[in-house]
PDB file of all heavy atoms in Angstrom:
ATOM      1  N   ASN A  20     -51.905 -19.076  18.461  1.00  0.00           N
ATOM      2  CA  ASN A  20     -50.948 -18.942  19.544  1.00  0.00           C
ATOM      3  C   ASN A  20     -50.813 -20.265  20.292  1.00  0.00           C
ATOM      4  O   ASN A  20     -51.799 -20.797  20.802  1.00  0.00           O
ATOM      5  CB  ASN A  20     -51.414 -17.872  20.548  1.00  0.00           C
ATOM      6  CG  ASN A  20     -51.196 -16.485  20.001  1.00  0.00           C
ATOM      7  OD1 ASN A  20     -50.455 -16.324  19.040  1.00  0.00           O
ATOM      8  ND2 ASN A  20     -51.849 -15.502  20.584  1.00  0.00           N
ATOM      9  N   LEU A  21     -49.586 -20.772  20.338  1.00  0.00           N
ATOM     10  CA  LEU A  21     -49.359 -21.985  21.117  1.00  0.00           C
ATOM     11  C   LEU A  21     -49.273 -21.596  22.593  1.00  0.00           C
ATOM     12  O   LEU A  21     -48.764 -20.529  22.921  1.00  0.00           O
ATOM     13  CB  LEU A  21     -48.040 -22.642  20.682  1.00  0.00           C
ATOM     14  CG  LEU A  21     -48.058 -23.277  19.293  1.00  0.00           C
ATOM     15  CD1 LEU A  21     -46.661 -23.673  18.880  1.00  0.00           C
ATOM     16  CD2 LEU A  21     -48.964 -24.498  19.282  1.00  0.00           C
ATOM     17  N   PRO A  22     -49.756 -22.442  23.493  1.00  0.00           N
ATOM     18  CA  PRO A  22     -49.630 -22.110  24.912  1.00  0.00           C
ATOM     19  C   PRO A  22     -48.161 -22.092  25.318  1.00  0.00           C
ATOM     20  O   PRO A  22     -47.351 -22.861  24.797  1.00  0.00           O
ATOM     21  CB  PRO A  22     -50.379 -23.254  25.613  1.00  0.00           C
ATOM     22  CG  PRO A  22     -50.450 -24.359  24.626  1.00  0.00           C
ATOM     23  CD  PRO A  22     -50.427 -23.729  23.266  1.00  0.00           C
ATOM     24  N   GLU A  23     -47.829 -21.185  26.236  1.00  0.00           N
ATOM     25  CA  GLU A  23     -46.434 -21.106  26.693  1.00  0.00           C
ATOM     26  C   GLU A  23     -46.098 -22.348  27.511  1.00  0.00           C
ATOM     27  O   GLU A  23     -46.921 -22.818  28.295  1.00  0.00           O
ATOM     28  CB  GLU A  23     -46.254 -19.870  27.580  1.00  0.00           C
ATOM     29  CG  GLU A  23     -46.488 -18.551  26.887  1.00  0.00           C
ATOM     30  CD  GLU A  23     -46.429 -17.401  27.875  1.00  0.00           C
ATOM     31  OE1 GLU A  23     -47.447 -17.097  28.496  1.00  0.00           O
ATOM     32  OE2 GLU A  23     -45.344 -16.821  28.005  1.00  0.00           O
ATOM     33  N   PRO A  24     -44.886 -22.887  27.324  1.00  0.00           N
ATOM     34  CA  PRO A  24     -44.503 -24.028  28.166  1.00  0.00           C
ATOM     35  C   PRO A  24     -44.449 -23.592  29.639  1.00  0.00           C
ATOM     36  O   PRO A  24     -44.034 -22.476  29.940  1.00  0.00           O
ATOM     37  CB  PRO A  24     -43.117 -24.417  27.644  1.00  0.00           C
ATOM     38  CG  PRO A  24     -42.629 -23.244  26.866  1.00  0.00           C
ATOM     39  CD  PRO A  24     -43.826 -22.495  26.391  1.00  0.00           C
ATOM     40  N   LEU A  25     -44.865 -24.473  30.513  1.00  0.00           N
ATOM     41  CA  LEU A  25     -44.923 -24.130  31.934  1.00  0.00           C
ATOM     42  C   LEU A  25     -43.639 -24.556  32.633  1.00  0.00           C
ATOM     43  O   LEU A  25     -43.163 -25.673  32.462  1.00  0.00           O
ATOM     44  CB  LEU A  25     -46.115 -24.825  32.587  1.00  0.00           C
ATOM     45  CG  LEU A  25     -47.496 -24.426  32.030  1.00  0.00           C
ATOM     46  CD1 LEU A  25     -48.588 -25.242  32.698  1.00  0.00           C
ATOM     47  CD2 LEU A  25     -47.733 -22.938  32.206  1.00  0.00           C
ATOM     48  N   LEU A  26     -43.092 -23.657  33.429  1.00  0.00           N
ATOM     49  CA  LEU A  26     -41.891 -23.961  34.191  1.00  0.00           C
ATOM     50  C   LEU A  26     -42.248 -24.657  35.507  1.00  0.00           C
ATOM     51  O   LEU A  26     -41.566 -25.564  35.966  1.00  0.00           O
ATOM     52  CB  LEU A  26     -41.120 -22.673  34.471  1.00  0.00           C
ATOM     53  CG  LEU A  26     -39.804 -22.857  35.187  1.00  0.00           C
ATOM     54  CD1 LEU A  26     -38.810 -23.575  34.282  1.00  0.00           C
ATOM     55  CD2 LEU A  26     -39.228 -21.521  35.608  1.00  0.00           C
ATOM     56  N   VAL A  27     -43.343 -24.210  36.114  1.00  0.00           N
ATOM     57  CA  VAL A  27     -43.827 -24.792  37.366  1.00  0.00           C
ATOM     58  C   VAL A  27     -45.323 -25.031  37.201  1.00  0.00           C
ATOM     59  O   VAL A  27     -46.024 -24.154  36.676  1.00  0.00           O
ATOM     60  CB  VAL A  27     -43.600 -23.839  38.564  1.00  0.00           C
ATOM     61  CG1 VAL A  27     -43.990 -24.524  39.874  1.00  0.00           C
ATOM     62  CG2 VAL A  27     -42.163 -23.358  38.632  1.00  0.00           C
ATOM     63  N   SER A  28     -45.799 -26.178  37.628  1.00  0.00           N
ATOM     64  CA  SER A  28     -47.244 -26.414  37.529  1.00  0.00           C
ATOM     65  C   SER A  28     -47.723 -27.309  38.663  1.00  0.00           C
ATOM     66  O   SER A  28     -46.976 -28.136  39.190  1.00  0.00           O
ATOM     67  CB  SER A  28     -47.610 -27.045  36.184  1.00  0.00           C
ATOM     68  OG  SER A  28     -46.992 -28.305  36.049  1.00  0.00           O
ATOM     69  N   ALA A  29     -48.978 -27.085  39.038  1.00  0.00           N
ATOM     70  CA  ALA A  29     -49.644 -27.920  40.042  1.00  0.00           C
ATOM     71  C   ALA A  29     -50.924 -28.432  39.414  1.00  0.00           C
ATOM     72  O   ALA A  29     -51.616 -27.679  38.722  1.00  0.00           O
ATOM     73  CB  ALA A  29     -49.961 -27.098  41.284  1.00  0.00           C
ATOM     74  N   ALA A  30     -51.235 -29.703  39.626  1.00  0.00           N
ATOM     75  CA  ALA A  30     -52.463 -30.287  39.080  1.00  0.00           C
ATOM     76  C   ALA A  30     -53.260 -30.933  40.206  1.00  0.00           C
ATOM     77  O   ALA A  30     -52.787 -31.869  40.855  1.00  0.00           O
ATOM     78  CB  ALA A  30     -52.125 -31.321  38.008  1.00  0.00           C
ATOM     79  N   ASP A  31     -54.442 -30.386  40.450  1.00  0.00           N
ATOM     80  CA  ASP A  31     -55.379 -30.926  41.430  1.00  0.00           C
ATOM     81  C   ASP A  31     -54.714 -31.161  42.793  1.00  0.00           C
ATOM     82  O   ASP A  31     -54.865 -32.227  43.405  1.00  0.00           O
ATOM     83  CB  ASP A  31     -55.998 -32.226  40.898  1.00  0.00           C
ATOM     84  CG  ASP A  31     -57.357 -32.486  41.528  1.00  0.00           C
ATOM     85  OD1 ASP A  31     -57.958 -31.534  42.057  1.00  0.00           O
ATOM     86  OD2 ASP A  31     -57.809 -33.649  41.514  1.00  0.00           O
ATOM     87  N   VAL A  32     -53.993 -30.142  43.254  1.00  0.00           N
ATOM     88  CA  VAL A  32     -53.238 -30.274  44.504  1.00  0.00           C
ATOM     89  C   VAL A  32     -54.153 -30.037  45.714  1.00  0.00           C
ATOM     90  O   VAL A  32     -54.838 -29.018  45.808  1.00  0.00           O
ATOM     91  CB  VAL A  32     -52.047 -29.302  44.533  1.00  0.00           C
ATOM     92  CG1 VAL A  32     -51.497 -29.147  45.955  1.00  0.00           C
ATOM     93  CG2 VAL A  32     -50.946 -29.814  43.612  1.00  0.00           C
ATOM     94  N   VAL A  33     -54.144 -31.019  46.601  1.00  0.00           N
ATOM     95  CA  VAL A  33     -54.871 -30.926  47.868  1.00  0.00           C
ATOM     96  C   VAL A  33     -53.838 -31.009  48.987  1.00  0.00           C
ATOM     97  O   VAL A  33     -52.901 -31.810  48.917  1.00  0.00           O
ATOM     98  CB  VAL A  33     -55.884 -32.091  48.004  1.00  0.00           C
ATOM     99  CG1 VAL A  33     -56.498 -32.129  49.406  1.00  0.00           C
ATOM    100  CG2 VAL A  33     -56.966 -31.978  46.936  1.00  0.00           C
ATOM    101  N   ARG A  34     -53.993 -30.150  50.005  1.00  0.00           N
ATOM    102  CA  ARG A  34     -53.133 -30.269  51.190  1.00  0.00           C
ATOM    103  C   ARG A  34     -54.017 -30.207  52.425  1.00  0.00           C
ATOM    104  O   ARG A  34     -54.713 -29.210  52.660  1.00  0.00           O
ATOM    105  CB  ARG A  34     -52.097 -29.135  51.232  1.00  0.00           C
ATOM    106  CG  ARG A  34     -51.134 -29.250  52.439  1.00  0.00           C
ATOM    107  CD  ARG A  34     -50.284 -30.508  52.330  1.00  0.00           C
ATOM    108  NE  ARG A  34     -49.187 -30.560  53.281  1.00  0.00           N
ATOM    109  CZ  ARG A  34     -49.223 -31.279  54.411  1.00  0.00           C
ATOM    110  NH1 ARG A  34     -50.309 -31.960  54.741  1.00  0.00           N
ATOM    111  NH2 ARG A  34     -48.166 -31.308  55.205  1.00  0.00           N
ATOM    112  N   VAL A  35     -54.014 -31.307  53.161  1.00  0.00           N
ATOM    113  CA  VAL A  35     -54.803 -31.390  54.389  1.00  0.00           C
ATOM    114  C   VAL A  35     -53.834 -31.474  55.564  1.00  0.00           C
ATOM    115  O   VAL A  35     -52.898 -32.273  55.553  1.00  0.00           O
ATOM    116  CB  VAL A  35     -55.719 -32.635  54.367  1.00  0.00           C
ATOM    117  CG1 VAL A  35     -56.526 -32.727  55.661  1.00  0.00           C
ATOM    118  CG2 VAL A  35     -56.652 -32.593  53.164  1.00  0.00           C
ATOM    119  N   TYR A  36     -54.060 -30.632  56.570  1.00  0.00           N
ATOM    120  CA  TYR A  36     -53.288 -30.710  57.818  1.00  0.00           C
ATOM    121  C   TYR A  36     -54.186 -31.298  58.899  1.00  0.00           C
ATOM    122  O   TYR A  36     -55.354 -30.938  59.006  1.00  0.00           O
ATOM    123  CB  TYR A  36     -52.821 -29.320  58.252  1.00  0.00           C
ATOM    124  CG  TYR A  36     -51.816 -28.692  57.316  1.00  0.00           C
ATOM    125  CD1 TYR A  36     -52.186 -27.675  56.449  1.00  0.00           C
ATOM    126  CD2 TYR A  36     -50.494 -29.135  57.294  1.00  0.00           C
ATOM    127  CE1 TYR A  36     -51.261 -27.099  55.578  1.00  0.00           C
ATOM    128  CE2 TYR A  36     -49.562 -28.573  56.427  1.00  0.00           C
ATOM    129  CZ  TYR A  36     -49.953 -27.547  55.579  1.00  0.00           C
ATOM    130  OH  TYR A  36     -49.034 -26.995  54.718  1.00  0.00           O
ATOM    131  N   GLY A  37     -53.619 -32.189  59.704  1.00  0.00           N
ATOM    132  CA  GLY A  37     -54.400 -32.780  60.790  1.00  0.00           C
ATOM    133  C   GLY A  37     -55.282 -33.913  60.290  1.00  0.00           C
ATOM    134  O   GLY A  37     -55.299 -34.232  59.105  1.00  0.00           O
ATOM    135  N   GLU A  38     -56.006 -34.515  61.227  1.00  0.00           N
ATOM    136  CA  GLU A  38     -56.839 -35.672  60.878  1.00  0.00           C
ATOM    137  C   GLU A  38     -58.229 -35.541  61.473  1.00  0.00           C
ATOM    138  O   GLU A  38     -58.449 -34.796  62.430  1.00  0.00           O
ATOM    139  CB  GLU A  38     -56.174 -36.955  61.409  1.00  0.00           C
ATOM    140  CG  GLU A  38     -54.906 -37.316  60.659  1.00  0.00           C
ATOM    141  CD  GLU A  38     -54.246 -38.575  61.214  1.00  0.00           C
ATOM    142  OE1 GLU A  38     -54.870 -39.237  62.058  1.00  0.00           O
ATOM    143  OE2 GLU A  38     -53.121 -38.873  60.783  1.00  0.00           O
ATOM    144  N   GLY A  39     -59.140 -36.273  60.883  1.00  0.00           N
ATOM    145  CA  GLY A  39     -60.496 -36.340  61.426  1.00  0.00           C
ATOM    146  C   GLY A  39     -61.188 -34.988  61.429  1.00  0.00           C
ATOM    147  O   GLY A  39     -61.029 -34.185  60.522  1.00  0.00           O
ATOM    148  N   GLN A  40     -61.932 -34.721  62.501  1.00  0.00           N
ATOM    149  CA  GLN A  40     -62.709 -33.488  62.576  1.00  0.00           C
ATOM    150  C   GLN A  40     -61.820 -32.254  62.726  1.00  0.00           C
ATOM    151  O   GLN A  40     -62.247 -31.140  62.422  1.00  0.00           O
ATOM    152  CB  GLN A  40     -63.695 -33.572  63.741  1.00  0.00           C
ATOM    153  CG  GLN A  40     -64.818 -34.587  63.480  1.00  0.00           C
ATOM    154  CD  GLN A  40     -65.856 -34.551  64.578  1.00  0.00           C
ATOM    155  OE1 GLN A  40     -65.519 -34.393  65.744  1.00  0.00           O
ATOM    156  NE2 GLN A  40     -67.128 -34.697  64.210  1.00  0.00           N
ATOM    157  N   ALA A  41     -60.604 -32.472  63.220  1.00  0.00           N
ATOM    158  CA  ALA A  41     -59.693 -31.338  63.411  1.00  0.00           C
ATOM    159  C   ALA A  41     -58.921 -31.004  62.129  1.00  0.00           C
ATOM    160  O   ALA A  41     -58.114 -30.088  62.107  1.00  0.00           O
ATOM    161  CB  ALA A  41     -58.715 -31.653  64.532  1.00  0.00           C
ATOM    162  N   SER A  42     -59.167 -31.748  61.055  1.00  0.00           N
ATOM    163  CA  SER A  42     -58.363 -31.535  59.838  1.00  0.00           C
ATOM    164  C   SER A  42     -58.739 -30.225  59.144  1.00  0.00           C
ATOM    165  O   SER A  42     -59.877 -29.762  59.221  1.00  0.00           O
ATOM    166  CB  SER A  42     -58.531 -32.712  58.876  1.00  0.00           C
ATOM    167  OG  SER A  42     -59.840 -32.728  58.355  1.00  0.00           O
ATOM    168  N   VAL A  43     -57.745 -29.651  58.495  1.00  0.00           N
ATOM    169  CA  VAL A  43     -57.927 -28.392  57.760  1.00  0.00           C
ATOM    170  C   VAL A  43     -57.469 -28.605  56.323  1.00  0.00           C
ATOM    171  O   VAL A  43     -56.349 -29.072  56.082  1.00  0.00           O
ATOM    172  CB  VAL A  43     -57.083 -27.257  58.399  1.00  0.00           C
ATOM    173  CG1 VAL A  43     -57.178 -25.987  57.564  1.00  0.00           C
ATOM    174  CG2 VAL A  43     -57.527 -27.000  59.828  1.00  0.00           C
ATOM    175  N   ARG A  44     -58.341 -28.276  55.359  1.00  0.00           N
ATOM    176  CA  ARG A  44     -57.965 -28.347  53.941  1.00  0.00           C
ATOM    177  C   ARG A  44     -57.353 -27.020  53.541  1.00  0.00           C
ATOM    178  O   ARG A  44     -58.056 -26.070  53.207  1.00  0.00           O
ATOM    179  CB  ARG A  44     -59.193 -28.599  53.075  1.00  0.00           C
ATOM    180  CG  ARG A  44     -59.488 -30.059  52.831  1.00  0.00           C
ATOM    181  CD  ARG A  44     -60.765 -30.191  52.022  1.00  0.00           C
ATOM    182  NE  ARG A  44     -60.516 -30.629  50.658  1.00  0.00           N
ATOM    183  CZ  ARG A  44     -60.294 -31.880  50.298  1.00  0.00           C
ATOM    184  NH1 ARG A  44     -60.255 -32.835  51.209  1.00  0.00           N
ATOM    185  NH2 ARG A  44     -60.098 -32.199  49.042  1.00  0.00           N
ATOM    186  N   ALA A  45     -56.017 -26.943  53.609  1.00  0.00           N
ATOM    187  CA  ALA A  45     -55.342 -25.680  53.278  1.00  0.00           C
ATOM    188  C   ALA A  45     -55.403 -25.409  51.781  1.00  0.00           C
ATOM    189  O   ALA A  45     -55.497 -24.256  51.348  1.00  0.00           O
ATOM    190  CB  ALA A  45     -53.897 -25.731  53.751  1.00  0.00           C
TER     191      ALA A  45
END
């Protein structure tokens, strides 16, 4: 079975809001 082609993909996505000690890794 070949893997299905991906329509949408994310690779190693990091999203941080804010800076320093107040930052949040969403």
